[in-house]
Amino acid sequence: MFKNLSPQALAISGRQSELIELALSFGFRGLDLDFVEFADQVKSHGLAHAKRLLDSAKLQIGGFTLPTRWQADETTFREDMALLPTWAPGAAEGGFRRALTWIEPASDEAPFHQNFETGRKRLTELAKALEVHGIRLGVGFTAAAEARVGKAFEFIHSLDALLMLLMGVPAKNVGMIVDLWDLHVTGGALDAVRKLGGERLVAVRLADAPSDVAPADLKSNQRMLPGDGGAIDSAAALVTLAEMGFDGPVTPAPHPEQLKGMRREAAVKRVGESLDRVWRGAGLSVAGKLAPPVRH
């Protein structure tokens, strides 16, 4: 697994060259990129030009936001599926191999069982279309109760429910986005993710929580930097992930309010330092591997 920077998660922006420089300066080996922006660069200047800085920096592309609106109405979904063959080949060729999406935890349109079956069918169809191009699909959930307020029907917002959905999607390229903060909110344990296996994990996100707030009462702006809150043992989780053979991006994802008032460079530096601490605490190598046991 590798240290990954997500500008979107931190609510920072910049030109691709600036984001690459930030990632390199503060110890990241991967970077989430805006695929739409990248595709525009390819269209204007060609693939080699669009990729030249990434290739030079030897950075991996951690993930990109799935552009297909699979949770929208049927007409919108069909329109987006028709567009998939126009962008997926370029995404794969450009190194965009992990598409990420998060399930809406509540809706006004359909009760749980109908939403579940529609989601299962659409994710299966979507996965098969992406598999042709060698793209994996990572699916995550949102646990904070505030995200469900005012909606008529609750939907998936826990690990067990997400696992149940993913078990019903017969596609090897579909897996889970593991977010330690969301797991903590719902009382879930990382050991439960072992049911999927390391190969079915697509991406991991780290955030801590204040130890004096009950998990069920947490709000999204209480997503703290790894190691800052004392409620979530990120280092122990990284050990478990390494034991499972996870080889994907590990992305710090505190709420942007936790970095309020900091300039972009200072914010990324702070985030990088927090990730370095839990990485060292887990005893991981730069490549994200556990050190072999010492033989006497």
Side-chain angles (χ1 to χ4, degrees), residues 136-167:
R136 301 177 68 193
L137 177 61
V139 185
F141 66 90
T142 301
E146 62 190 312
R148 305 190 297 277
V149 173
K151 297 292 186 179
F153 306 108
E154 290 195 353
F155 193 45
I156 290 172
H157 57 273
S158 69
L159 174 63
D160 288 343
L162 178 59
L163 287 174
M164 183 167 57
L165 177 65
L166 295 182
M167 291 296 186

Side-chain angles (χ1 to χ4, degrees), residues 192-267:
V193 180
R194 291 181 186 271
K195 297 177 184 178
L196 283 179
E199 70 281 356
R200 292 292 298 271
L201 301 185
V202 178
V204 170
R205 297 207 160 192
L206 304 183
D208 204 345
S211 58
D212 59 349
V213 179
D217 294 333
L218 286 168
K219 296 183 177 180
S220 60
N221 63 359
Q222 293 174 304
R223 294 180 63 98
M224 304 175 73
L225 284 162
D228 274 11
I232 299 172
D233 192 340
S234 294
L238 290 177
V239 170
T240 298
L241 291 165
E243 291 172 344
M244 292 171 62
F246 174 63
D247 61 359
V250 176
T251 307
H255 193 277
E257 282 188 14
Q258 301 291 324
L259 305 168
K260 189 175 181 179
M262 302 178 70
R263 295 175 64 86
R264 184 175 62 182
E265 290 76 10

